[in-house]
Amino acid sequence: MSRRTLLGATAAGGFVTAVPQPQRPGRVPSTVRELEEKIQAGMEKYGIAGVGLGLWYGGKEHVRGFGVTRTDAPEDVDGDTVFRVASTTKTFTGAAVMRLVEQGRIDLDRTVRSYLPGFRTADAAASSRVTVRQALNHTAGWLGDFFLDTGDDSGALARYVAAMDRLPQLTPPGTVFGYNNAALSLAGRLIEVVTRRPYEDEVRRRLLDPLHLTRSGFFLDEIPGARVAQPHVYDPTTGGIVVAPQAWRIPRSLYPAGGLISSARDQIRWARFHLGNGGRALSGRSIRAMRSRPGPGGTLFVELDGAGVTWMLRPTAEGPTVVQHGGDWAGQHSGLLMVPARDFALTVLTNSDAGTALLDDLFIDDWALRRFARVSNLPAPPLTLTKAELAPYLGTYSGQQIDLDGTVYTQEFELVADSGRLVLMFGGQAVDGFAFYRKDHVVDLPLNGGTEEGVRANFVRGPDGTVQWFRLGGRLARRGAPDTARSGRRATTFNPRSLLS
């Protein structure tokens, strides 16, 4: 099932009790109140313990919390409650690199090896050509879901980057968008080498402190008195969610890719900084550069023109660009988007696995963009194709990730034709359905024949013009049976939204 379908089904069991919310003081614009009501309805529908909301609209900031920090010892969530923002951290890593670019200490178009001479992946020749920009716009080309835990001390990033010598090269550098967590941890190590400071210290010194983001950091002891939104994960034995404090931890090796702790108030202020003209932390020119010169396009749940310096750049039917990022970790899911041409920004932080369904409603569908920014997705009318038209896309696909302990997992699935559309089969079961809306591009549709617009994905062709990859959740799954000699363990669950998205 799709994420929205799956989470809606589990929530139907009523495993989260809606928490009454206090009345809002003063007058609130009707669109803002409609958003608040949609969030509260989604929390009840999907089963979400707590949500932090930050909104910049009409020249005003709206910040609010909903629900509780944990279901077993509840405290109210407010605008200063801290969550793991996971991969939205990448935008801080990108901004820290841009600060060094301003100082002339890094050149985005020089190779990574110019700064880290010993760096290599399994393909030494390809990794020698990768530029800093390609590491930041997800076109480095090597396997990106590398989650190796190398310890909690200040040497974690150095050990992680040294261990990247095992990563296979999937595509030539600079040619294909493939979401790459490993490349962002590499960028964090680059910051350390150039500044001779730990990555976390440099981000605080260059960004968090100058911008007065007082409820943000990489360690809880940096945020005195923080009220923590504890993770909640799905428990298959009960059919509900349970608080999982152990899921809070992220290995320090992954901090540049997803380790930041932050609040809704700080996140919307981060967005406002990027909507403005710069300041002490970063110049307006650098801010604009972060959302310029996108690399190759593709899909990451939505359709993308490509990525700039860590920001995902999303087209709209009306023309203005949506600048976006989100974050996923166990029990912690968040989204952040901006439309600079409309002076609009939205962030939503959640502390439950079911938060992905609410984020889909607000960040993938058109609802929020239309109401607040008067823009919408490029149209995706579902098409019915003939068997001959579907044939080039059918077959077995597989992708990999390397887990915290270094174990390689292979996720293998099959795409089959059914009634003019594609069905994704995993472990002999139909998991998801897709309909083409233009060449090589599909939209996720419910298997029951519904027409709800959902996640987008696309196929990537090789030099000979044949379909070589299926890009799902930004990851590349290779067409054809996996190499059994190097496939590692087979994944037992299907997860298009990997650990750090």
Side-chain angles (χ1 to χ4, degrees):
M1 293 184 286
S2 68
R3 292 191 309 280
R4 185 184 285 108
T5 306
L6 172 63
L7 294 170
T10 57
F15 53 78
V16 171
T17 301
V19 177
Q21 300 297 320
Q23 293 296 313
R24 294 278 277 150
R27 297 182 62 183
V28 177
S30 59
T31 48
V32 177
R33 192 172 297 280
E34 189 179 2
L35 171 62
E36 293 178 344
E37 291 170 352
K38 187 174 181 67
I39 288 172
Q40 290 175 281
M43 291 174 69
E44 186 169 2
K45 176 181 178 181
Y46 300 123
I48 302 170
V51 170
L53 165 67
L55 174 70
W56 177 252
Y57 171 65
K60 294 183 178 180
E61 185 179 277
H62 305 269
V63 178
R64 191 180 179 193
F66 305 87
V68 295
T69 57
R70 55 189 300 161
T71 51
D72 60 346
E75 290 185 288
D76 290 342
V77 172
D78 62 20
D80 295 310
T81 300
V82 299
F83 298 73
R84 287 280 190 195
V85 301
S87 284
T88 306
T89 308
K90 292 177 172 68
T91 64
F92 289 79
T93 302
V97 170
M98 290 304 299
R99 188 74 180 97
L100 297 172
V101 170
E102 289 181 344
Q103 296 173 346
R105 302 169 74 180
I106 289 180
D107 183 331
L108 291 177
D109 295 311
R110 291 188 67 184
T111 64
V112 170
R113 279 202 187 168
S114 300
Y115 307 97
L116 298 174
F119 170 70
R120 61 162 292 166
T121 60
D123 187 330
S127 53
S128 71
R129 302 194 304 271
V130 171
T131 66
V132 177
R133 187 185 300 276
Q134 290 164 353
L136 295 169
N137 69 13
H138 299 276
T139 64
W142 54 69
L143 179 66
D145 283 337
F146 179 48
F147 301 119
L148 185 66
D149 185 348
T150 56
D152 291 327
D153 65 285
S154 60
L157 271 179
R159 291 189 292 271
Y160 177 91
V161 169
M164 287 177 65
D165 63 0
R166 67 183 293 189
L167 298 183
Q169 193 76 21
L170 306 182
T171 57
T175 62
V176 177
F177 172 83
Y179 194 82
N180 202 307
N181 286 299
L184 267 294
S185 282
L186 172 66
R189 176 59 182 157
L190 183 63
I191 291 168
E192 290 189 334
V193 170
V194 171
T195 65
R196 298 185 180 181
R197 294 174 179 268
Y199 162 81
E200 303 86 0
D201 290 356
E202 190 65 13
V203 171
R204 173 159 295 286
R205 176 171 173 255
R206 297 293 186 182
L207 300 173
L208 303 183
D209 288 346
L211 295 175
H212 305 292
L213 302 180
T214 59
R215 313 309 287 172
S216 298
F218 291 91
F219 310 98
L220 280 174
D221 59 11
E222 295 179 279
I223 314 171
R227 180 176 292 186
V228 179
Q230 293 289 343
H232 293 73
V233 300
Y234 177 68
D235 181 2
T237 62
T238 65
I241 61 169
V242 294
V243 64
Q246 71 280 3
W248 176 261
R249 180 182 178 272
I250 289 180
R252 193 167 179 178
S253 56
L254 306 181
Y255 277 10
L260 188 70
I261 303 162
S262 191
S263 68
R265 192 182 311 279
D266 275 7
Q267 286 293 288
I268 203 62
R269 289 181 177 175
W270 176 241
R272 289 180 60 187
F273 173 68
H274 282 272
L275 290 173
N277 296 314
R280 290 177 55 200
L282 205 62
S283 70
R285 181 178 180 180
S286 292
I287 288 172
R288 292 185 291 275
M290 288 186 69
R291 55 181 192 251
S292 304
R293 293 185 60 185
T299 54
L300 180 62
F301 308 118
V302 295
E303 199 162 345
L304 298 177
D305 288 329
V309 177
T310 65
W311 286 113
M312 304 298 161
L313 306 179
R314 174 179 173 185
T316 65
E318 293 76 13
T321 297
V322 177
V323 181
Q324 182 168 337
H325 217 295
D328 295 292
W329 188 251
Q332 300 271 311
H333 303 276
S334 65
L336 174 64
L337 64 73
M338 307 175 286
V339 185
R342 301 288 197 257
D343 193 32
F344 161 70
L346 171 68
T347 185
V348 175
L349 314 178
T350 75
N351 67 341
S352 302
D353 274 346
T356 55
L358 177 62
L359 295 174
D360 285 357
D361 290 346
L362 296 174
F363 290 85
I364 292 179
D365 294 348
D366 286 338
W367 186 89
L369 287 174
R370 285 175 175 163
R371 279 162 177 75
F372 293 99
R374 306 182 307 283
V375 295
S376 56
N377 278 303
L378 299 178
L383 305 174
T384 300
L385 273 59
T386 67
K387 290 183 179 180
E389 290 171 326
L390 290 173
Y393 304 96
L394 306 181
T396 299
Y397 291 80
S398 63
Q400 290 185 328
Q401 75 173 41
I402 300 176
D403 210 351
L404 304 177
D405 63 358
T407 302
V408 179
Y409 286 92
T410 296
Q411 185 167 262
E412 182 181 344
F413 59 89
E414 187 177 4
L415 293 178
V416 301
D418 183 32
S419 303
R421 298 179 178 181
L422 296 176
V423 172
L424 190 153
M425 305 292 295
F426 180 77
Q429 294 186 331
V431 173
D432 215 344
F434 297 92
F436 281 89
Y437 63 92
R438 63 182 173 89
K439 182 178 179 180
D440 294 341
H441 285 70
V442 294
V443 61
D444 177 9
L445 293 178
L447 289 172
N448 62 9
T451 58
E452 179 183 24
E453 183 178 310
V455 168
R456 302 185 188 200
N458 72 292
F459 295 87
V460 179
R461 295 178 180 268
D464 63 356
T466 62
V467 173
Q468 186 173 3
W469 305 95
F470 182 38
R471 185 189 285 117
L472 180 61
R475 277 72 175 181
L476 295 173
R478 187 189 299 272
R479 188 172 182 229
D483 182 351
T484 55
R486 296 187 299 170
S487 63
R489 297 184 184 180
R490 180 169 295 183
T492 57
T493 59
F494 180 74
N495 179 22
R497 200 168 204 148
S498 197
L499 286 174
L500 277 171
S501 296

